[in-house]
């Protein structure tokens, strides 16, 4: 399996599934007369980030992960989304960005150094494979699962098949 094939399809599967889950969440709010901002601001626990931020971070980890693994310019996207439509557009833009990477851009990426921030004034350098497995994927999946959990906790009818994008 190429490094591209290990990276891009994994990001795309979850980005697409979250877009579907947000569509269900929006319908849930409409059917139950829940103000969308209530669900978008929901958290699993008071010290955790809200649904909107979880989706933004999923997008950031996918786009920045691809950029860092290919030594491309790392995109910066302002976190301005306040509606389901805006979040779905951010997911769509991220999907398009991730799809734009070609297999040859990832060639040798598993062995190249990847330097990334781990705080306001600190960086860490890992080989590409280690960066993917120990940082990028765990963070990406953490925020995706947390977003799914927030929806489920708030009564949106989503399950594992929705999370996997095979419903």
């Amino acid at each position: 399996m190429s490094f591209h094939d290990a990276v891009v399809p994994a990001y795309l599967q979850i980005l697409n599934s979250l877009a579907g889950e947000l569509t269900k969440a929006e319908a849930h709010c409409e059917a139950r007369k829940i103000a969308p901002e209530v669900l978008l601001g929901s958290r699993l626990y008071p010290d955790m980030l809200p649904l909107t931020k979880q989706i933004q971070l999923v997008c950031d980890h996918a786009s920045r992960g691809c950029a860092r693994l290919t030594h491309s310019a790392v995109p910066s996207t302002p976190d301005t989304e306040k509606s389901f439509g805006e979040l779905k557009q951010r997911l769509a833009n991220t999907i398009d960005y991730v799809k734009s990477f070609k297999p040859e851009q990832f060639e040798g990426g598993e062995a190249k150094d990847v330097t990334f921030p781990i705080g306001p004034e600190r960086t860490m350098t890992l080989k590409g494979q280690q960066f993917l497995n120990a940082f990028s994927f765990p963070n990406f999946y953490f925020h995706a699962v947390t977003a799914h959990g927030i929806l489920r906790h708030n009564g949106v009818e989503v399950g594992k098949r929705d999370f996997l994008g095979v419903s």
Side-chain angles (χ1 to χ4, degrees), residues 1-9 102-104 106-107 110 129:
M1 174 186 301
S2 73
F3 199 44
H4 172 274
D5 290 347
V7 175
V8 170
K102 306 293 181 237
E104 55 272 11
F106 285 89
E107 286 179 10
E110 65 277 2
Q129 186 71 53

Side-chain angles (χ1 to χ4, degrees), residues 53 56 59-61 63-65 67-68 72-81 90 93-94 97:
K53 187 66 176 174
Q56 292 164 341
C59 292
D60 289 347
H61 281 287
S63 60
R64 293 175 186 172
R68 288 188 174 108
S72 302
V74 176
S76 176
T77 306
D79 296 334
T80 58
E81 296 81 13
R90 181 159 178 165
N93 293 344
T94 304
Y97 179 75

Side-chain angles (χ1 to χ4, degrees), residues 11-147:
Y11 286 137
L12 291 176
Q13 177 184 5
I14 299 303
L15 291 167
N16 279 299
S17 73
L18 284 174
E21 288 192 32
L22 286 183
T23 297
K24 285 188 172 190
E26 189 171 25
H28 174 84
C29 286
E30 289 173 14
R32 288 163 182 77
K33 308 291 186 239
I34 298 169
E37 59 272 9
V38 172
L39 186 54
L40 293 169
S42 293
R43 306 164 186 259
L44 286 179
Y45 196 76
D47 69 348
M48 292 180 78
L49 296 170
L51 176 61
T52 297
K53 187 66 176 174
Q54 300 294 341
I55 299 295
Q56 292 164 341
L57 286 166
V58 167
C59 292
D60 289 347
H61 281 287
S63 60
R64 293 175 186 172
C66 284
R68 288 188 174 108
L69 289 166
T70 60
H71 291 210
S72 302
V74 176
S76 176
T77 306
D79 296 334
T80 58
E81 296 81 13
K82 295 186 183 340
S83 69
F84 285 111
E86 291 171 345
L87 285 172
K88 288 192 284 188
Q89 186 59 57
R90 181 159 178 165
L91 284 163
N93 293 344
T94 304
I95 289 165
D96 288 344
Y97 179 75
V98 170
K99 282 181 176 178
S100 75
F101 285 91
K102 306 293 181 237
E104 55 272 11
Q105 290 177 270
F106 285 89
E107 286 179 10
E110 65 277 2
K112 292 179 184 173
D113 285 343
V114 175
T115 301
F116 57 99
I118 57 167
E121 296 183 27
R122 292 181 52 202
T123 62
M124 178 180 276
T125 301
L126 299 171
K127 296 297 182 190
Q129 186 71 53
Q130 189 179 12
F131 166 77
L132 180 67
N133 291 332
F135 183 81
S136 188
F137 273 170
N139 279 286
F140 173 76
Y141 286 115
F142 173 84
H143 293 292
V145 167
T146 302

